[in-house]
């Protein structure tokens, strides 16, 4: 019989970016807060941060940085008059560095929980009815029940499995295992040329793997502005990524040392033999065992938690945030904003999130970042628009860096000049997009951006020049 324990103002289930931010913000309001999370690292130690920190975005980012340095040393420094010899990779050390950085961040998060007097409960949480949560400790399997005025569900998502390519974690692996390889595969195939597939391809291709991306859709990165995805396709191909579009994988089988992958495209069925196969076909919400049946938590047919515009589920006092809902894309920063929003709502403040101005980033090299609407979406509505484009080949800083691939594209309303979308492909696009997000948050016009002084020489001049180009008065083109 489970024993009953403490009462809290707020219980957060899940300590990924969304749950962590929510718990901290609740504690800042003086609410008695607990955060339940059962994540264990490779060594079996309890860790905050969820998949974004431990096996996703942050983990991938640290390896992307290592891969970038290696690639630059082997490909991009001779033109600077710098020669380096005998450059080699110590992959276990590279992976160790990633794990060390993750550990450091996780420790800082744990310190912040202590500082804010948040109870970190290292267990699995399950929503019961009447604002109660059952907790099961990972080791002892003991059960107890906590109750709270408010419960925030933030259990995140995990990679979708493909029945035709069963994961064996040796030859056919998921994106988590793909960040922990002990050798660089000679020949690598990735199913799915979405964000995850491209970021993993960017790591392993740069570290020397022959990399083939098999993407079922004919349109490459179809959610992006098509001019930007077209440029990305060209640049990735030039870098040696083998992008096969309209290629639907129908089976993958592991042999003794290789994986055999069959895929279909317009020309018929093809077979590939590769050393590793990564399945990167999207993510699904972690709602399998999130709530007891008697709780009656409403989910949709794909397992997403049904919420209203204020992240409220069908149950009074129960909220869902981050990857669990369809309120916005599966992005860590969307989850963080929702975590803060719900905490403030509980504390009596209503500061709605502007999902229209949510930035997205693909952390390949060059990076891709965007905010607002695409040219094709705006043309489809019949909206009158003006477009300003500035290529990085004409930006002095990009020339100095030797990173001239890409462009900045700004779309504004034809009459009132309000900025409707900004799309960037190029070095540090993830940083450059912040200015565009801020401009749009303040309902800026392209003229506002054009009249804002930008330091020279910086990459941000490309944003300035794109705004000027929109009125046909770019200075450097
Ligand atoms: P995705 O949906 O973006 O891409 C998966 C791709 O796999 C799709 O294009 C799909 O057509 C393809 N696919 C599916 N089945 C296939 C098959 N049998 N053969 C060939 N292709 C097939 O999913 P993802 O890239 O895994 O990303 C998941 C989520 O995580 C997204 O919402 C993404 O935004 C988010 N995420 C974001 C970041 C970031 O912000 N940089 C990083 C990682 C993940």
């Amino acid at each position: 019989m489970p024993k009953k324990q403490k009462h809290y103002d707020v219980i957060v289930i899940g300590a990924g970016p969304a749950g962590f931010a929510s718990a901290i913000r609740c504690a800042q309001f003086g609410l008695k807060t607990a955060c339940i999370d059962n994540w264990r690292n490779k060594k079996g130690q309890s860790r905050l941060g969820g998949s974004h920190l431990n096996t996703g975005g942050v983990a991938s980012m640290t390896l992307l940085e290592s891969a970038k340095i290696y690639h630059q040393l082997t490909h991009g420094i001779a033109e600077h008059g710098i020669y380096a010899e005998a450059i080699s990779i110590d992959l276990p050390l590279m992976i160790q560095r990633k794990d060390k950085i993750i550990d450091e961040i996780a420790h800082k998060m744990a310190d912040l929980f202590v500082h804010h007097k948040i109870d970190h409960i290292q267990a699995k949480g399950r929503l019961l009815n009447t604002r109660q949560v059952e907790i099961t400790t990972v080791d002892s399997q003991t059960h107890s029940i906590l109750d709270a005025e408010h419960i925030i569900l933030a259990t995140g998502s995990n990679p979708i499995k493909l029945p035709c390519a069963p994961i064996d974690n040796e030859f056919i692996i998921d994106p988590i295992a793909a960040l922990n390889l002990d050798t660089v595969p000679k020949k690598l195939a990735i199913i799915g040329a979405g964000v995850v597939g491209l970021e993993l391809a960017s790591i392993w291709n740069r570290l020397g793997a022959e990399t083939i991306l098999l993407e079922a859709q004919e349109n490459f990165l179809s959610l992006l502005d098509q001019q930007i995805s077209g440029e990305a396709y060209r640049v990735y191909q030039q870098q040696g990524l083998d992008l096969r579009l309209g290629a639907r994988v129908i089976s993958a089988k592991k042999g003794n040392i290789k994986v055999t992958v069959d895929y279909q495209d317009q020309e018929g069925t093809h077979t590939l033999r590769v050393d590793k196969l990564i399945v990167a076909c999207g993510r699904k919400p972690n709602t399998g065992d999130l709530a007891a049946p008697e709780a009656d938590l409403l989910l949709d047919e794909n397992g997403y938690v049904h919420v209203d515009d204020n992240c409220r589920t069908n149950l009074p006092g129960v909220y869902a945030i981050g990857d669990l809902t369809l309120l916005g894309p599966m992005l860590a920063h969307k989850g963080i904003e929702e975590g803060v929003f719900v905490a403030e709502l509980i504390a009596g403040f209503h500061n709605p999130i502007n999902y229209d101005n949510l930035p997205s980033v693909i952390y390949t090299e060059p990076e891709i970042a965007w905010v607002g609407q695409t040219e094709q979406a705006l043309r489809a509505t019949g909206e009158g628009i003006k477009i300003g484009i500035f290529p990085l080949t004409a930006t002095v800083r990009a020339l100095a860096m030797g990173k001239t691939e890409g462009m900045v594209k700004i779309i504004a309303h034809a009459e009132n000049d309000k900025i409707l979308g900004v799309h960037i492909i190029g070095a540090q696009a993830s940083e450059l997009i912040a200015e565009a997000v801020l401009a749009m948050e303040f309902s800026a016009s392209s003229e506002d951006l054009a009249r804002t002084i930008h330091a020279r020489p910086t990459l941000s001049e490309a944003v300035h020049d794109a705004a000027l180009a929109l009125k046909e008065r770019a200075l450097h083109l």
Side-chain angles (χ1 to χ4, degrees), residues 306-443:
H306 179 87
V307 285
D308 67 9
D309 291 345
N310 290 319
C311 299
R312 291 190 175 105
T313 69
N314 63 315
L315 306 174
V318 181
Y319 304 81
I321 56 175
D323 289 1
L324 287 183
T325 83
L326 283 172
L327 273 183
M330 284 184 171
L331 297 172
H333 45 279
K334 182 216 80 148
I336 291 172
E337 289 311 314
E338 287 178 346
V340 169
F341 165 75
V342 167
E344 294 187 349
L345 200 63
I346 291 170
F349 303 96
H350 187 238
N351 300 315
I353 297 168
N354 185 358
Y355 289 94
D356 290 343
N357 290 346
L358 197 72
S360 296
V361 179
I362 305 178
Y363 293 94
T364 48
E365 178 80 1
E367 293 178 343
I368 303 176
W370 67 99
V371 57
Q373 299 184 70
T374 61
E375 179 182 346
Q376 66 267 17
L378 286 162
R379 297 229 185 265
T381 63
E383 197 83 76
I385 54 173
K386 295 175 296 185
I387 294 174
I389 294 173
F390 197 79
L392 290 184
T393 43
T395 305
V396 280
R397 181 63 180 272
L399 283 159
M401 292 165 72
K403 304 237 160 138
T404 51
E405 281 157 343
M407 68 180 95
V408 176
K409 173 173 181 175
I410 300 181
I411 311 173
H413 194 280
E415 274 123 49
N416 63 26
D417 196 33
K418 190 176 167 197
I419 301 170
L420 301 172
V422 178
H423 307 271
I424 306 174
I425 175 168
Q428 296 182 27
S430 60
E431 304 292 345
L432 296 180
I433 202 67
E435 177 183 14
V437 176
L438 190 68
M440 289 178 68
E441 198 56 32
F442 282 86
S443 303

Side-chain angles (χ1 to χ4, degrees), residues 162 164 191-197 199 214-217 247-249 280-283 329-331 333 361-363:
L162 262 191
C164 67
I191 311 181
V195 181
V196 173
E199 290 179 355
L214 300 167
E215 168 54 54
Q217 288 189 46
R248 178 171 295 279
V249 172
C281 294
R283 299 180 65 88
M330 284 184 171
L331 297 172
H333 45 279
V361 179
I362 305 178
Y363 293 94

Side-chain angles (χ1 to χ4, degrees), residues 295-312:
D296 272 337
L297 178 72
L298 194 59
L299 306 180
D300 77 5
E301 66 278 12
N302 295 316
Y304 288 92
V305 182
H306 179 87
V307 285
D308 67 9
D309 291 345
N310 290 319
C311 299
R312 291 190 175 105

